[in-house]
Amino acid sequence: MKFKFKKPVLRRNKSNSRKSSKKRFNKEKVFSSIFLILFTAFILAATLVALPQVDKFLNESSYDLIKKDDDYWRGEYILELQLKEGDMDDQKVQIEQTANIIHRRLQRFGVEESKVVYHTYTDESGEAKEYTPAYLRVVVQTTKQQDLVERLIGTRYFIRFHEPKEGVDFDNPDDQLAPYMMDNYTPTDFTRSSFRNVLIKKLPTNDGSEAYFAIFKPWPHTAGAFNSFMKENVGGKIGYEVDEFVTPISVPVEFAYDRGASQQQGQSNSQRAQFTIGVAQTADEAQVYDLLFNEGQIPLKINVADSEVLDAEINEMEVIDILLAVVAGVIAIIIFTGVTKRGLLIQNITFAISMLLIVSTWVAYLKMSETPVDLWLMLLEGISLIMIVYVLTYYRHKRYFIEALLLGTMLLLSIVSDGYARLFSQTVLALSAFAVVAVPLTKEYIIYMKRFIIK
Amino acid sequence: MRDTIIQIFNIFTYYEAILVAIIILLPVIVLSIASYVWTKSRKLSLIALFSIVPLITAFALSSFFTQEIHEISSNGSLQVGLVMAIIANILNLGILVNEYHKELTQKRFDPDHVTRAHFAATLNMVVVITIITFVTLPFINEELRVITTVAYITILVTISATHGLSRVLLRDRVKMDKVIVK
């Protein structure tokens, strides 16, 4: 006879079973309820803040979208380059280098629109010049501070260190301009090229406040010689020239303790005394100095021959038009997918709610952070967002590859592009990252909501 | 000709030329490397790389003719249209690579399934982009119309050409030969 094993039936403890089922029930229900409440509240709050003209109903807070239009200014500058005598090809290369450096400075500073082109210009002053002039025309349109942008365009920022001539008394009260006269100094070979990098850093000052300082990091092969030069002048003054203007600088005592050129091999830059000079008070100014120091050295002397501030060319739009365009786009796509049965009902709802969530959060953030925006750019970002959310919602297979690809591409574009394209790429990167999270979250929300309604 | 290209791509210095080249080439190169690593298919990588040709051609021609028609010269804002076209191209290529990888996991690999699924995705995308473009046109001004039209034409030509290329390159030659023999 075959033995048949009978599974023992355990008598459950009534109180335990009730407890466990209660626990399971609570966990799921509490989680779903909290999720539903939070998600609904977030969408409603974001939508209310994002709606146009909402500030009219709120007396205390200003929830208006700030347009960049009024902050734009447009300027045109004619730069005169003082060409050195020599080969025509060398001159051409120097003009190209100058144009590239100026454009790079403007682009890194975040100037929205910039053009640097060769220009034919007739100097009406009729003065005889010791050099052959060449001209560049620089056109900018930006919301950045005008004086800072002009500094980036019109400054060569050539640096050279000078040694005071023997017998010159800088403390003579009868000749107070002596420290500022180039004739009282002997130029050295130490220029910007002697330094690997100039680091701009916020440091405390003597009076307890903070300011931005430029820290000169020499190349390993010039560090010893530079520190020896500084050591020789400890306690005295050296000349620091920027574009043919010299300023006396006291050499700090730290250089006296530097071991100098004789032991440079085993000494790292961090162990050495470093030349530091105060440059700016504000972050924007510090950024300008960073660009002037580190975005290449203009090979020619330059000066602004002519400049003109023009009316900004603005692509004017209204917030309501953008909102209508995006809403119409979303509705049209839902109708199309619904009529042609290309998408499931849940996909259509997910698409609509995802777009509502992303757009309202985006606009609410812009309003609350008071970030100025280009409305025409916002519309193009909205169109791109519709395209991205459509693919993320309706593409049924695994999307990890597409998501990673999209985010990677946007990251690359936001790093390498310039002007409006960079602003566009940065916003679309942020929106894509949000969409990657928001679309699956919205799908879950709809599933929970469906269960909740059916119950 | 030179001035037109300079104006269309907003290239006034060598630095800008390098930037534009990087903007166009880098995403596609990264994609083709990623697709090769994922699918081990050289043809897919080639399709990704070749998609640059219709993209640049369509962008240059549509920019030129649209600006001529509207008598508007955009200052740098056209580059946004180029970036939009690059995004659409990357999404389209991403779907193609994804479909190819999905087919690789099936018991019997059939490239026709890949091209058919990609065709459906491309067609959907074309329709959606057409809808968005035409629905938004009434709400926008003339300069924006130029940008959206340029982006629309570039996207349309690029993703259609890429799909055509995938049809040619991913054709199942063995299966075709059998059909011919029969």
Side-chain angles (χ1 to χ4, degrees):
Chain A
M1 197 181 125
K2 210 175 176 181
F3 175 74
K4 209 174 180 181
F5 179 77
K6 199 175 178 185
K7 201 179 170 185
V9 180
L10 291 174
R11 290 189 72 185
R12 278 186 189 174
N13 185 335
K14 264 189 177 178
S15 63
N16 271 350
S17 100
R18 200 180 300 147
K19 205 175 174 182
S20 66
S21 68
K22 197 177 179 182
K23 208 174 177 181
R24 202 167 56 235
F25 169 76
N26 282 347
K27 221 179 181 178
E28 213 178 300
K29 188 157 187 179
V30 166
F31 171 74
S32 62
S33 304
I34 289 174
F35 175 66
L36 282 177
I37 291 165
L38 285 179
F39 203 88
T40 315
F42 184 80
I43 291 181
L44 285 175
T47 311
L48 276 175
V49 176
L51 281 172
Q53 316 252 332
V54 73
D55 52 320
K56 285 185 180 172
F57 304 101
L58 299 166
N59 297 327
E60 289 175 14
S61 313
S62 169
Y63 284 137
D64 204 9
L65 201 61
I66 301 169
K67 289 193 226 174
K68 263 186 177 179
D69 297 7
D70 301 334
D71 300 334
Y72 271 112
W73 63 273
R74 190 178 180 84
E76 189 178 310
Y77 302 86
I78 307 296
L79 275 188
E80 187 182 70
L81 316 182
Q82 302 178 15
L83 292 177
K84 292 169 192 165
E85 276 183 24
D87 191 10
M88 285 285 279
D89 288 342
D90 286 347
Q91 289 182 343
K92 207 178 166 192
V93 169
Q94 286 172 343
I95 296 170
E96 272 165 14
Q97 278 178 345
T98 307
N100 282 341
I101 291 169
I102 289 170
H103 186 263
R104 201 159 55 221
R105 282 178 181 177
L106 294 171
Q107 186 247 318
R108 296 271 158 91
F109 191 54
V111 169
E112 286 86 344
E113 200 179 308
S114 61
K115 243 186 231 177
V116 184
V117 288
Y118 301 107
H119 188 65
T120 319
Y121 178 75
T122 317
D123 192 352
E124 289 167 358
S125 66
E127 288 172 14
K129 287 173 180 169
E130 295 167 350
Y131 50 85
T132 319
Y135 295 95
L136 286 176
R137 180 169 156 260
V138 184
V139 183
V140 287
Q141 178 161 312
T142 180
T143 53
K144 297 276 175 185
Q145 216 176 309
Q146 190 174 342
D147 63 320
L148 298 181
V149 174
E150 285 177 348
R151 213 179 294 176
L152 289 172
I153 294 169
T155 315
R156 181 187 179 199
Y157 223 69
F158 176 79
I159 294 161
R160 188 185 287 279
F161 288 86
H162 293 255
E163 198 168 13
K165 278 182 181 168
E166 278 183 28
V168 178
D169 182 11
F170 285 159
D171 300 323
N172 183 3
D174 296 334
D175 190 7
Q176 291 189 359
L177 289 176
Y180 302 96
M181 303 299 285
M182 193 74 94
D183 297 341
N184 292 332
Y185 294 92
T186 314
T188 67
D189 292 335
F190 300 114
T191 61
R192 172 62 186 82
S193 316
S194 312
F195 300 90
R196 175 171 51 89
N197 179 31
V198 179
L199 180 71
I200 305 289
K201 206 173 177 185
K202 201 175 189 181
L203 294 169
T205 58
N206 291 338
D207 61 1
S209 61
E210 283 190 322
Y212 290 89
F213 287 83
I215 304 167
F216 287 69
K217 306 265 185 189
W219 290 104
H221 63 275
T222 56
F226 181 71
N227 282 30
S228 296
F229 160 68
M230 296 298 274
K231 200 173 178 179
E232 282 164 20
N233 291 288
V234 165
K237 283 178 176 163
I238 56 160
Y240 173 73
E241 180 206 336
V242 178
D243 291 343
E244 295 178 27
F245 288 98
V246 71
T247 317
I249 305 275
S250 298
V251 179
V253 285
E254 287 91 59
F255 283 96
Y257 303 108
D258 192 88
R259 283 181 285 170
S262 58
Q263 291 181 20
Q264 64 171 302
Q265 297 299 323
Q267 215 171 1
S268 73
N269 272 344
S270 59
Q271 291 168 304
R272 289 184 171 281
Q274 285 169 333
F275 179 72
T276 306
I277 187 168
V279 285
Q281 293 292 329
T282 62
D284 278 349
E285 245 185 306
Q287 195 192 352
V288 167
Y289 279 101
D290 190 11
L291 297 168
L292 291 173
F293 277 119
N294 296 316
E295 285 306 325
Q297 299 158 63
I298 294 179
L300 303 162
K301 286 181 185 175
I302 59 169
N303 62 288
V304 178
D306 197 5
S307 68
E308 197 180 353
V309 176
L310 310 161
D311 289 333
E313 290 172 9
I314 294 162
N315 205 339
E316 281 180 14
M317 280 204 78
E318 290 301 320
V319 182
I320 195 81
D321 290 339
I322 295 170
L323 206 70
L324 282 174
V326 174
V327 169
V330 172
I331 292 172
I333 288 170
I334 292 170
I335 292 171
F336 160 72
T337 46
V339 169
T340 56
K341 293 180 182 169
R342 280 169 196 265
L344 303 169
L345 181 65
I346 191 166
Q347 284 176 322
N348 291 342
I349 299 170
T350 307
F351 178 68
I353 295 180
S354 299
M355 280 302 297
L356 179 70
L357 173 69
I358 298 165
V359 172
S360 57
T361 311
W362 174 32
V363 177
Y365 167 76
L366 291 175
K367 281 184 169 184
M368 292 175 87
S369 63
E370 294 181 357
T371 312
V373 286
D374 289 297
L375 289 179
W376 67 272
L377 210 55
M378 234 179 131
L379 178 80
L380 298 177
E381 287 156 1
I383 292 175
S384 303
L385 182 70
I386 295 176
M387 206 159 68
I388 290 164
V389 174
Y390 175 82
V391 172
L392 294 181
T393 313
Y394 290 92
Y395 189 64
R396 288 175 197 175
H397 310 297
K398 283 179 188 170
R399 296 185 308 258
Y400 309 121
F401 183 74
I402 297 171
E403 287 167 357
L405 208 61
L406 177 71
L407 295 179
T409 306
M410 292 323 300
L411 188 67
L412 280 176
L413 292 175
S414 56
I415 293 168
V416 297
S417 56
D418 67 336
Y420 292 123
R422 173 178 267 195
L423 291 175
F424 175 83
S425 307
Q426 284 170 345
T427 312
V428 176
L429 170 67
L431 291 175
S432 311
F434 188 40
V436 165
V437 180
V439 171
L441 212 64
T442 310
K443 203 173 171 186
E444 288 299 311
Y445 170 73
I446 293 160
I447 293 167
Y448 278 126
M449 187 59 103
K450 196 178 159 191
R451 274 189 215 156
F452 182 77
I453 292 166
I454 290 168
K455 270 178 191 175
Chain B
M1 180 69 180
R2 188 173 166 267
D3 289 346
T4 313
I5 291 170
I6 285 172
Q7 198 269 322
I8 285 170
F9 287 97
N10 202 35
I11 300 169
F12 296 97
T13 57
Y14 280 107
Y15 176 68
E16 279 173 302
I18 294 165
L19 277 186
V20 171
I22 292 173
I23 289 171
I24 295 170
L25 291 173
L26 202 60
V28 179
I29 290 172
V30 170
L31 175 97
S32 62
I33 293 169
S35 83
Y36 184 74
V37 170
W38 208 36
T39 61
K40 302 282 175 219
S41 165
R42 285 199 192 93
K43 285 179 181 176
L44 263 189
S45 302
L46 269 180
I47 293 166
L49 283 176
F50 276 123
S51 68
I52 300 169
V53 180
L55 182 92
I56 296 173
T57 317
F59 178 75
L61 291 176
S62 61
S63 304
F64 176 73
F65 287 113
T66 318
Q67 287 187 89
E68 285 285 305
I69 293 164
H70 288 266
E71 293 174 352
I72 282 177
S73 160
S74 298
N75 295 323
S77 48
L78 261 181
Q79 269 203 357
V80 178
L82 180 67
V83 174
M84 284 174 81
I86 291 171
I87 297 172
N89 186 31
I90 290 293
L91 285 174
N92 184 44
L93 288 170
I95 291 170
L96 177 66
V97 177
N98 220 16
E99 288 295 336
Y100 193 91
H101 184 261
K102 199 188 101 198
E103 192 60 26
L104 279 178
T105 57
Q106 304 295 316
K107 271 185 184 173
R108 197 172 167 275
F109 178 78
D110 185 356
D112 281 352
H113 289 162
V114 180
T115 47
R116 249 180 268 153
H118 184 237
F119 176 71
T122 305
L123 189 67
N124 275 354
M125 208 181 232
V126 165
V127 174
V128 164
I129 289 162
T130 309
I131 290 172
I132 303 170
T133 309
F134 282 96
V135 163
T136 49
L137 278 180
F139 300 99
I140 57 182
N141 58 28
E142 206 169 0
E143 199 178 335
L144 260 182
R145 256 176 230 166
V146 171
I147 303 171
T148 43
T149 312
V150 167
Y152 170 67
I153 295 169
T154 312
I155 293 169
L156 205 69
V157 172
T158 310
I159 62 176
S160 310
T162 310
H163 176 71
L165 201 65
S166 71
R167 286 239 155 181
V168 174
L169 286 179
L170 297 181
R171 200 167 42 190
D172 190 352
R173 289 195 179 276
V174 181
K175 208 174 171 185
M176 290 290 284
D177 290 345
K178 277 180 187 171
V179 172
I180 292 162
V181 168
K182 274 179 187 175

